Amino acid sequence: MARIQKKKTESAPPVDKFLKPAVGVALAMLAYYFLKGMTKEIRRIDVNDALALREVFFGEGPSGNDFVVLCHPEAKDGSVGLPISSVFQDSHDDGTAPAEYVLMDCDHVLPDSGKTIYEKFKLNKKKRPTVFVSGKVGPPKQVPEKHLKTGGMLTKLLKQMLEPHAAKIEKTKELKEKCLNKDVCGLLLKGGKPEPYVKHAMANLLGKYPNVQFASIDSSLLFLINLEEHLPEFVPGEHRFVVFKKVSGGLSSGDNETKAEGRLKTSILPLETPGVSFNSMNTLVGDVLNGKKMKKIPALPNIKTRTKKLEESERQKRDRQKDQARRKAQEDQKPPQTFSANDGTKEGRRLERERRRAEHNAKNNVNPKTPEEIAEMERRRRHRMEEEAAKWNIGAEDAPEEGAPVEDENWEEDVEYDDVDEDDEDDDDDEVMDLD
């Protein structure tokens, strides 16, 4: 038998070899948490600086930034003051939201209106923390309480509000608020799942036209009443595009300080070519911004679930529009001032009269009168009318004195009376039959 070799016992590695890497990892972790705890101080807005306030509220400053404002009272008399909301602080530390985070004392009374910032912009002080977004995006708008549970939720909302993106529309109210009430809005009607080139085209449009609102709707599931008949007919899988431009009105019903905007009216310019591309959509939006004439629609679009009944009604509308266009084209092709038969219309009756007048003049050898002869006939007619009117007019010398009755002096001479014999009256009485 072969001799079995014994295994060599291995000694444990020295601790010195692992000590240095372990110390390095620990120091790195401590540095990470230390740097994470070091946060940049959040700037406080001076409420006495009118220019700074207008920049934050309305974005009128040179920076053109959007602001996320936390209503936070300023510490007085050297006190520490209230701590900053952890939700606001965490969102600020994240640093991915495209806005500047600032603090403001919203209890400050504005000198122009005599109202606090809470009252001026209708901020609900009871909802804590009180955070609003303003600046380039528009006047102050309070962040709903449901988005203030964590810093991540606040950051997500800010990205949705401030980063350019196409609004997703599913209801009529959303269509009016996010698209129709804007000055210019481009609406993409998706015929199905959009291809990557469509998403890329919309992203380029968002970057090229920052002042234009873009939105999208799934037209394979939803139907837009009062709009479908103005667009190319729906084909599954094929996308359509239309641009809206507000004519007048708005959605505000008004209050004690502002007047109602009136009924919202809009106009459209649809993309007539089938399919969409960046070049076609870019050209259409450019034409609208350059003032190309658009078509006003009598009623605002409403969103309904797409059904066969709605599709059939829309198809009938298209057929009626085609019939009207065909009849109009046929009428335009007719030569002017032609007559075939009196069809009962005003134009037909006029042409009938002219035809008969021409036949009468030709048959009786009647020459048409010149304008001078017509004017002379009119002068004579007016002269005769004046003479007849003079016979019936009572002059001042013929009028009786004031208060005297108008009587004819010889009225008795003109009246002749018949002599009545009394015997004739008796005869008349005898002729009456006594029925008793």
Side-chain angles (χ1 to χ4, degrees):
M1 293 180 62
R3 185 177 180 182
I4 300 174
Q5 296 181 356
K6 295 181 179 180
K7 294 182 179 180
K8 296 181 179 180
T9 57
E10 297 181 357
S11 60
V15 180
D16 298 341
K17 292 183 179 180
F18 294 98
L19 184 60
K20 292 182 178 180
V23 172
V25 171
L27 291 176
M29 293 179 65
L30 289 174
Y32 170 76
Y33 285 107
F34 177 76
L35 294 176
K36 185 178 180 181
M38 294 178 59
T39 57
K40 185 179 178 181
E41 185 178 358
I42 302 176
R43 181 166 69 98
R44 177 175 288 276
I45 299 298
D46 184 6
V47 291
N48 296 315
D49 188 349
L51 295 179
L53 290 178
R54 295 195 66 85
E55 180 181 6
V56 174
F57 292 151
F58 310 108
E60 296 181 357
S63 63
N65 293 336
D66 292 319
F67 294 90
V68 185
V69 185
L70 172 66
C71 290
H72 186 269
E74 189 174 0
K76 298 179 181 180
D77 301 332
S79 60
V80 178
L82 297 176
I84 298 176
S85 168
S86 60
V87 174
F88 189 81
Q89 186 70 61
D90 292 344
S91 179
H92 169 265
D93 296 342
D94 183 87
T96 57
E100 182 179 353
Y101 291 74
V102 294
L103 304 177
M104 182 180 295
D105 185 5
C106 298
D107 289 315
H108 175 73
V109 179
L110 299 174
D112 296 338
S113 61
K115 298 180 180 180
T116 64
I117 298 175
Y118 285 112
E119 298 171 345
K120 176 67 176 178
F121 299 104
K122 300 178 181 178
L123 303 174
N124 192 344
K125 189 176 181 180
K126 296 181 180 179
K127 294 182 179 181
R128 298 287 183 152
T130 305
V131 181
F132 65 86
V133 181
S134 62
K136 184 179 64 176
V137 71
K141 183 177 180 181
Q142 188 169 358
V143 176
E145 203 171 13
K146 63 181 180 179
H147 298 287
L148 297 174
K149 295 180 180 180
T150 63
M153 295 178 66
L154 176 59
T155 301
K156 182 179 179 180
L157 175 67
L158 295 176
K159 289 181 178 180
Q160 293 177 355
M161 294 178 62
L162 304 178
E163 288 182 351
H165 65 282
K168 185 178 180 181
I169 295 176
E170 295 180 345
K171 299 179 181 179
T172 303
K173 183 179 179 181
E174 296 175 347
L175 177 64
K176 293 179 180 179
E177 293 178 351
K178 299 179 181 180
C179 188
L180 301 182
N181 199 34
K182 305 296 182 181
D183 292 335
V184 180
C185 175
L187 179 64
L188 175 67
L189 292 90
K190 299 179 291 185
K193 185 177 180 180
E195 295 79 5
Y197 77 90
V198 177
K199 297 180 180 179
H200 185 67
M202 290 297 294
N204 290 339
L205 290 174
L206 289 167
K208 186 173 182 179
Y209 300 103
N211 297 325
V212 176
Q213 175 67 52
F214 290 93
S216 64
I217 184 172
D218 190 356
S219 61
S220 63
L221 302 176
L222 302 175
F223 187 92
L224 282 88
I225 301 175
N226 302 326
L227 180 64
E228 292 280 352
E229 60 266 24
H230 303 292
L231 305 178
E233 192 169 359
F234 170 75
V235 177
E238 191 170 287
H239 312 296
R240 296 170 293 172
F241 187 73
V242 61
V243 180
F244 294 92
K245 186 175 183 180
K246 186 167 74 169
V247 177
S248 62
L251 301 178
S252 176
S253 58
D255 52 19
N256 295 332
E257 297 181 359
T258 60
K259 295 182 179 179
E261 295 179 333
R263 187 171 70 91
L264 178 60
K265 299 179 182 179
T266 187
S267 57
I268 63 170
L269 184 63
L271 184 64
E272 301 292 347
T273 57
V276 296
S277 64
F278 172 75
N279 292 332
S280 59
M281 292 188 291
N282 178 44
T283 303
L284 192 68
V285 176
D287 291 341
V288 172
L289 296 179
N290 293 330
K292 186 175 180 179
K293 186 177 180 181
M294 305 180 68
K295 181 180 180 180
K296 295 181 181 179
I297 53 178
L300 296 179
N302 291 326
I303 298 178
K304 301 288 184 181
T305 304
R306 180 173 288 275
T307 60
K308 294 183 179 179
K309 184 177 180 180
L310 291 175
E311 291 178 347
E312 181 62 24
S313 64
E314 181 250 339
R315 193 175 296 110
Q316 293 176 359
K317 286 184 180 180
R318 291 180 184 274
D319 294 339
R320 288 196 296 268
Q321 291 177 354
K322 291 179 182 179
D323 293 339
Q324 292 175 0
R326 183 172 60 253
R327 287 196 299 268
K328 184 177 180 181
Q330 292 176 355
E331 293 177 358
D332 295 340
Q333 291 176 359
K334 291 181 180 179
Q337 302 296 333
T338 58
F339 178 79
S340 58
N342 185 3
D343 54 359
T345 61
K346 183 178 180 180
E347 184 69 14
R349 294 194 299 270
R350 184 182 67 81
L351 295 176
E352 175 70 14
R353 291 194 300 269
E354 292 180 357
R355 184 184 66 82
R356 292 184 177 182
R357 186 180 297 110
E359 291 179 355
H360 173 77
N361 294 340
K363 184 177 180 180
N364 298 282
N365 196 20
V366 177
N367 295 324
K369 292 181 174 59
T370 62
E372 291 78 9
E373 293 176 343
I374 296 174
E376 180 63 21
M377 292 174 61
E378 180 66 18
R379 188 188 64 78
R380 292 177 181 178
R381 186 184 68 82
R382 290 181 178 275
H383 182 67
R384 289 195 303 271
M385 292 177 62
E386 291 174 359
E387 290 178 349
E388 293 295 328
K391 295 178 182 180
W392 291 91
N393 292 339
I394 298 177
E397 64 277 2
D398 299 331
E401 295 181 2
E402 184 177 359
V406 180
E407 294 181 354
D408 191 352
E409 297 176 356
N410 302 323
W411 66 277
E412 293 182 352
E413 299 178 358
D414 298 338
V415 179
E416 296 181 359
Y417 294 95
D418 295 334
D419 293 336
V420 178
D421 192 356
E422 295 179 358
D423 297 337
D424 295 339
E425 295 180 358
D426 297 338
D427 296 341
D428 294 340
D429 295 338
D430 297 338
E431 294 176 359
V432 177
M433 184 179 294
D434 189 2
L435 300 177
D436 297 335

